[in-house]
Amino acid sequence: MAETMQFDLVSPERRLMQEEVVSVQIPGADGDMTAMPNHAPLITTLRPGVLVVETQKGTQEFVVTGGFAELGEGLSVLAERALPKADVDQETYETLVEEAEAEYRKAKEVFVNEPGPVDDAAKLLADMVAVGTHIGLSTRQPNL
């Protein structure tokens, strides 16, 4: 029997999962990582992507748009928004991309001569667009 750790996935709207898990693949802002029992403690930010949770019963996937992950004795993921992958249809995906596109446009207006925040918003938009490819939907190219 595989070793497990406590995992909690919450978004502002609800708790999506609370269970003992074998591993969790995390779309970290600095790169993807896999959290497993006895992993070194860390805190990382999330980028838009797919969180893959392996339990002893099987695998569950969630689309996240950002947030934080804290790994200690267990793993807590506090997502800005998290949806079961099965619930993300083409319309939902396009809405998520449109929201990221609006944030990018807003950053361009607010931070006119500050490329850092605009670049960050562009990266988040690109990551959100890439989620469509990753989950098998028709990607929506942003109108920049």
Side-chain angles (χ1 to χ4, degrees):
M1 184 174 217
E3 192 173 351
T4 62
M5 66 180 171
Q6 179 63 39
F7 171 67
D8 293 294
L9 172 60
V10 295
S11 70
E13 298 85 27
R14 63 186 169 139
R15 170 174 279 140
L16 287 102
M17 187 173 191
Q18 182 176 34
E19 192 167 334
E20 290 290 319
V21 301
V22 176
S23 68
V24 180
Q25 294 175 22
I26 301 168
D30 294 326
D32 293 348
M33 64 174 286
T34 301
M36 299 176 76
N38 302 314
H39 193 287
L42 67 85
I43 296 176
T44 186
T45 55
L46 304 177
R47 64 171 168 72
V50 178
L51 190 78
V52 181
V53 182
E54 181 186 347
T55 69
Q56 293 182 335
K57 301 173 200 164
T59 301
Q60 295 185 39
E61 297 180 316
F62 299 89
V63 173
V64 296
T65 61
F68 298 90
E70 180 180 14
L71 182 57
E73 290 191 22
L75 173 63
S76 295
V77 173
L78 309 170
E80 290 175 1
R81 182 179 291 165
L83 302 163
K85 179 184 161 195
D87 292 353
V88 181
D89 58 11
Q90 189 69 38
E91 182 180 348
T92 302
Y93 163 71
E94 288 182 11
T95 299
L96 293 172
V97 172
E98 287 169 5
E99 290 171 2
E101 188 177 355
E103 287 299 316
Y104 171 73
R105 283 194 305 272
K106 181 178 174 184
K108 281 178 62 173
E109 291 174 14
V110 173
F111 301 102
V112 176
N113 292 319
E114 301 177 51
V118 176
D119 292 345
D120 292 345
K123 171 79 168 86
L124 289 173
L125 175 56
D127 287 341
M128 196 68 246
V129 169
V131 167
T133 300
H134 188 76
I135 63 175
L137 297 175
S138 175
T139 58
R140 182 185 180 287
Q141 295 304 312
N143 184 14
L144 303 178

